[in-house]
Structure formats: C-alpha cells, structure tokens
Amino acid sequence: MYYKLKDDLRLRGWELLSTGIVRKLSEEVSFMPTEVYRALQKACGSVPINSPLFSPKEKKILDELLQEGILEKTDTPVPLTPEQKYRLYPNRFLYSVHWSITGNCNCRCRHCYMSAPTRMDALVRGQARDVPHLSPPTRMDAEPTLEECLDIVRQMEAAGVRAVSLTGGEALVRPDFFKIVDALLDADILINTVMSNGLLVNERTLDEFERRGIKPEFNMSFDGIDCHDWLRGIPGVEKAVKRAFKLCKERGFPTGAEYCLHKGNIHALRDSVKLLGELGCQTLKVNRLSLEGEGVAIADKAITRDEEYQAYLDYIPQFYEDGAPLSIMLAGIFSNIGKDDYMIPCEKNLEDEDCGNYCLCGHARSQMYITPDGYMVPCIPMGSVEGGRRHFPNLKTTTLSSALQDSYYMDFIDMRLRDYFAHNPGCESCQYRNRCAGGCRGHVAAIGGGEDLLARDEDTCGFFRQGWYKKITELMSSVLSKSSNIG
C-alpha cells in the first residue's frame, strides 16, 4: 500500500509561507507546520506505507492527513502529476484580486467614482435623451485590451493568486468577457464574484458560467425601491436588477448587493432590505453617497456622517423586527452575525491589546485591487483617485510577482500601527487608539484625494469619539435582549 495526494490538491509555497496546500479552483488554502509538510512530501513519492523510512511520529502525522482527506491509500505508487508538484512562488502571498477589467459601463450612474463612460454609443445616445443632465459619453481610454488582460492573468498565475472578483465599469459589457474567464480558469484561479448592475445578468450569462462548472456570486447594486433608476441614470434598471436577482435565485447562483444611501432613498431602506431578502440576496453593504467622480454634481443629495449613523441606529431595530432577512453591513459600524449576534467592523482591536506592531491595513495583506489602467492598489477607494493611484506600481511597467517582493505596495501593507501613531501623535493619546487603529486607509484616500495615505480617518474617529460607538453597543444590548426574551 502507498500514499497518494488527493487529485484536486496541489503543493504550493510563497515567500515566508513555504508550506502551502491548495485545492484546484477553490478558495481553500492552508499552511502546515514544516515537519508535517515534510512528511506529506515524503509520502507523495513511492515509499510504502509500512516502510521504516517513516518515523513513528511521521506515521502518526500521515494517519492524521488520511483522516483529513488530504491523502488516500492506493495499491500501487502514484506519483504527483505536474500540476500537483511543489511550486514555490518568489513573492509574498496574495490570496485574491479585485480586478476592474473595464472602465466602460451601460449605465450612466450619477455618482460613479470613475465617471465611467461607455463605447456603446448608439445605446447611450438613446439614454441621454431621457437623462438630459448627463454629459455626452466619452471614450474610456483606460480599458485594457484583451492581450493586456491575458497578460495580467499570466502575472496572477505566476504570483500564485488563488481567486479573483471581476468588476468594471460593468465587466459584462466586454464582448471578450468569457475569454478572460476561460484564461483565469485555465490558470487555476477561481472567479468568486462578478460585480454588476444586473442589466446583462441573464439566462445566457448564467448558462456560460454553468457550462464552465462554476457559480460565482453576482454582487449587484440596488439603491432602493422606486429610487434605483434615478441614481443609475437610465430608466428600467430597477426592473432589470430585480429580474436578475430572481433569476440567480432560481438558478442557484449566490447574490449580494450594495446600497448607496442618500437623501432620496433613506426612507426606502427598510422595504428594500426586505425585498432583497425575498429575492434571495444573501449579503448587503450600505454606505452613504461619496462625493467623488460624478458624485460631486449631486452634492445636494448627500447626507453627513452623523445623518448616516443616525439612520442606521433608527433602522437596526427594524432589521431585527423583520427577522434579519440577510447579512448586512452598515458602513463600518455594524454587521449582524445571524439573528443573535453582531460585530462592529471598524472596531479592530481590544483597548488593552498591545497593538503597535499590528498591520495598519490587514485587508490589503491578502487582497488587492487592479484598476482598468493597470495600477495595483490596496483597495477600490485608493484606485478611485489619481492621488491614490500614483503611489503604487503599474502592471504595464512591472510584474505582479516583482511588485509583491519589493515596491511601495509592499511598504504600504507592511506599515504598522506605530507608524500611523508617529504620523498622527494626537491619536496615540486617544482612549480609542487601539479600537480605531487609524480607521480605513481607503476612506482617507477617497476623501483626501490620496495625498496623505496616513491621514486620520475622520469618520471612524467621529464614530468612537462622538459617542456613536456607545450608542450602537447600548442599542444592541437592548435589541438582542428583547430578541432573547421573545425566543
């Protein structure tokens, strides 16, 4: 009898994380202690199970790997396939990429941070007659060619990226969209999410994904019942996105949504969340209108930070009264955990922790955003402003693998909380210094134009220092207590 590595597993390693195991076209990645990994590699050769070459400790390890479904027994030696053999990537580990494959779009969103135009001239000319305030469409020079996209796929494969989410603009407007999908799948990179406005999420699109054996989540914008079309800039989008959610539910594709909160749709939040739950939507993120890109032109519709937070306080009890119809995140200040618990996402640490050596932006250590023009930045907000992009590498002039070894990107994601405190000495003496931990760098970039990526995040600061944190915790204590009594 011999050991055999399960067919869909591969041995992989990265700089500082050299003992990895991944599953083909899966989000599964795990790292093993060195001694366990060495025993696993030895077992994947032609050594019989009862060979004295395995020490008693190794035999125990291998028995555990059998129980975990990593190894299986065979009657004859089965060598590793070329795909399974150990591959060491020279760069730091990057789990996933959020990739904007186009800046073009088939909507004319009034708040678009890209000010995304479209090349669908005939369609847009017809839409523009119905939306006379919109500027005429212009060409989006930043859209990458197919060959540029395929080069980025090759770069992701060479760096060991495991998963990708596709966005735009509107990713589905590209006629070569599924050529990019096929290249990603051939590179063993899972497509876990497609960000969309829903207009092109139809039977054909879902058929194409099913034919390839995958069902990514469709994350679609929904900005309120009877409010959505106004923000999206063309008529009929609300009807279309409802149809898309319903279709995905019928076909077994997971869905999520994003809701841009402004003066015109605050009143619709409750009913809209209930509707999304009925349509099978599983997750929803809500954030207030950001005044960047096209959003500057509708500043009169914007709400303040305090108005946003108060709206959430008013809504949270209603959310539980409605049975918590989906998983919701309200800005960074509230997220439910089922029907019986919650978390405050912007509360990064406990106050008594020694956090000086903690990473300033943990999210960026495993995920990045690639802009349509090839910049690799930690998140979408940093890529939405020229001042943010200019700090970071561009994949047209370097490679992803090289940039994940030595670049400003690496310098940025390795920044520690002590670096932030050195830049903002007033924050170090704050009683919420560890809970806040500098707030969100992406929000700082978007609001400040990216000029100072270490500036203070005023929204997170205000949440803690102006009493909103206390209000949320007191409210949730009451809400969950009532829920427990009812149960």
Side-chain angles (χ1 to χ4, degrees):
M1 296 291 289
Y2 297 84
Y3 294 108
K4 172 182 177 294
L5 185 67
K6 284 289 186 72
D7 290 340
D8 59 348
L9 296 180
R10 284 93 175 86
L11 304 179
R12 299 291 185 263
W14 291 261
E15 181 185 2
L16 304 183
L17 291 170
S18 60
T19 58
I21 187 165
V22 304
R23 194 176 299 276
K24 181 181 179 181
L25 281 180
S26 168
E27 297 183 271
E28 292 183 40
V29 182
S30 59
F31 297 96
M32 299 178 174
T34 301
E35 62 179 7
V36 174
Y37 207 68
R38 287 175 178 169
L40 172 62
Q41 289 177 303
K42 185 190 294 187
C44 292
S46 57
V47 181
I49 286 177
N50 294 323
S51 170
L53 293 176
F54 291 123
S55 69
K57 186 174 183 179
E58 287 176 327
K59 288 182 179 179
K60 182 178 179 181
I61 289 172
L62 297 177
D63 283 341
E64 292 172 352
L65 294 176
L66 282 168
Q67 294 297 318
E68 293 171 14
I70 294 172
L71 292 174
E72 58 185 356
K73 294 180 179 180
T74 67
D75 293 329
T76 58
V78 179
L80 294 175
T81 66
E83 294 81 11
Q84 289 181 308
K85 287 182 178 179
Y86 182 71
R87 181 174 180 181
L88 178 63
Y89 301 101
N91 50 267
R92 294 279 286 275
F93 176 67
L94 177 69
Y95 172 68
S96 70
V97 169
H98 191 61
W99 182 19
S100 183
I101 60 175
T102 181
N104 292 332
C105 188
N106 52 355
C107 279
R108 297 294 293 172
C109 300
R110 299 170 189 261
H111 66 312
C112 181
Y113 73 87
M114 283 187 180
S115 302
T118 178
R119 294 177 183 172
M120 296 178 160
D121 292 339
L123 174 63
V124 174
R125 278 196 296 271
Q127 294 166 352
R129 287 194 294 271
D130 299 319
V131 194
H133 80 282
L134 291 172
S135 58
T138 55
R139 187 174 183 273
M140 183 64 178
D141 293 317
E143 175 167 291
T145 65
L146 175 60
E147 181 51 44
E148 287 172 332
C149 287
L150 297 181
D151 180 63
I152 288 177
V153 173
R154 289 190 288 267
Q155 291 189 42
M156 286 193 279
E157 181 181 21
V161 172
R162 298 302 309 150
V164 67
S165 58
L166 299 176
T167 186
E170 169 58 47
L172 294 173
V173 301
R174 290 193 65 124
D176 53 11
F177 175 80
F178 280 101
K179 291 183 180 179
I180 297 171
V181 168
D182 288 336
L184 287 164
L185 298 181
D186 288 344
D188 192 24
I189 299 173
L190 178 70
I191 301 163
N192 53 22
T193 307
V194 177
M195 310 289 286
S196 177
N197 55 39
L199 286 171
L200 296 174
V201 178
N202 51 37
E203 295 277 7
R204 177 188 172 278
T205 300
L206 301 190
D207 286 346
E208 289 293 330
F209 276 111
E210 283 192 334
R211 188 166 67 83
R212 290 162 172 81
I214 59 171
K215 286 191 173 183
E217 174 189 298
F218 282 91
N219 189 288
M220 296 178 280
S221 300
F222 188 78
D223 300 304
I225 296 173
D226 297 329
C227 307
H228 187 68
D229 285 1
W230 177 83
L231 192 62
R232 296 294 147 183
I234 61 174
V237 185
E238 181 176 338
K239 181 180 179 180
V241 75
K242 288 177 183 176
R243 172 198 52 76
F245 275 113
K246 183 178 179 181
L247 179 62
C248 286
K249 181 180 180 181
E250 292 172 351
R251 297 281 296 269
F253 282 77
T255 55
E258 302 205 11
Y259 192 108
C260 178
L261 197 69
H262 56 83
K263 289 179 180 178
N265 67 2
I266 286 182
H267 70 281
L269 180 60
R270 182 179 189 177
D271 288 340
S272 298
V273 175
K274 288 195 290 185
L275 174 64
L276 287 170
E278 292 167 2
L279 292 172
C281 182
Q282 294 152 316
T283 63
L284 173 65
K285 293 182 180 179
V286 186
N287 287 282
R288 76 178 187 273
L289 173 67
S290 179
L291 299 183
E292 53 182 310
E294 293 286 345
V296 174
I298 55 170
D300 60 315
K301 296 293 185 180
I303 58 176
T304 66
R305 175 192 66 207
D306 289 350
E307 287 173 331
E308 179 187 24
Y309 291 170
Q310 186 59 55
Y312 297 153
L313 283 175
D314 294 339
Y315 171 63
I316 288 171
Q318 299 172 349
F319 174 76
Y320 283 96
E321 288 171 12
D322 296 335
L326 43 64
S327 294
I328 197 168
M329 180 182 289
L330 303 173
I333 72 168
F334 172 83
S335 182
N336 73 300
I337 303 174
K339 298 181 180 181
D340 303 314
D341 205 356
Y342 77 103
M343 64 176 293
I344 296 175
C346 68
E347 184 181 19
K348 296 182 180 178
N349 311 296
L350 299 176
E351 206 49 56
D352 59 355
E353 288 186 76
D354 182 8
C355 303
N357 198 42
Y358 288 10
C359 293
L360 183 57
C361 185
H363 171 86
R365 294 184 68 82
S366 61
Q367 300 181 30
M368 74 159 54
Y369 172 56
I370 298 177
T371 70
D373 49 351
Y375 285 95
M376 49 178 284
V377 295
C379 61
I380 289 180
M382 284 194 190
S384 69
V385 290
E386 192 281 331
R389 290 192 301 273
R390 67 178 175 83
H391 296 281
F392 294 96
N394 191 295
L395 298 183
K396 294 179 181 179
T397 57
T398 187
T399 65
L400 181 58
S401 181
S402 296
L404 289 173
Q405 296 174 60
D406 182 18
S407 68
Y408 179 75
Y409 183 90
M410 294 306 303
D411 293 341
F412 180 85
I413 69 170
D414 275 338
M415 284 185 184
R416 309 293 162 154
L417 192 52
R418 61 173 178 267
D419 300 320
Y420 171 81
F421 288 142
H423 191 74
N424 300 275
C427 292
E428 189 165 18
S429 59
C430 177
Q431 63 176 314
Y432 300 108
R433 62 191 294 273
N434 290 334
R435 293 185 190 275
C436 173
C440 175
R441 299 299 92 206
H443 185 260
V444 166
I447 297 300
E451 296 305 315
D452 182 3
L453 297 181
L454 287 181
R456 187 169 69 181
D457 176 6
E458 297 296 342
D459 273 18
T460 305
C461 177
F463 173 71
F464 286 104
R465 299 189 68 177
Q466 295 178 17
W468 294 105
Y469 174 76
K470 182 179 180 182
K471 290 177 182 178
I472 283 281
T473 54
E474 290 177 347
L475 172 66
M476 289 309 302
S477 177
S478 172
V479 167
L480 295 180
S481 176
K482 289 179 182 179
S483 176
S484 175
N485 290 336
I486 292 174

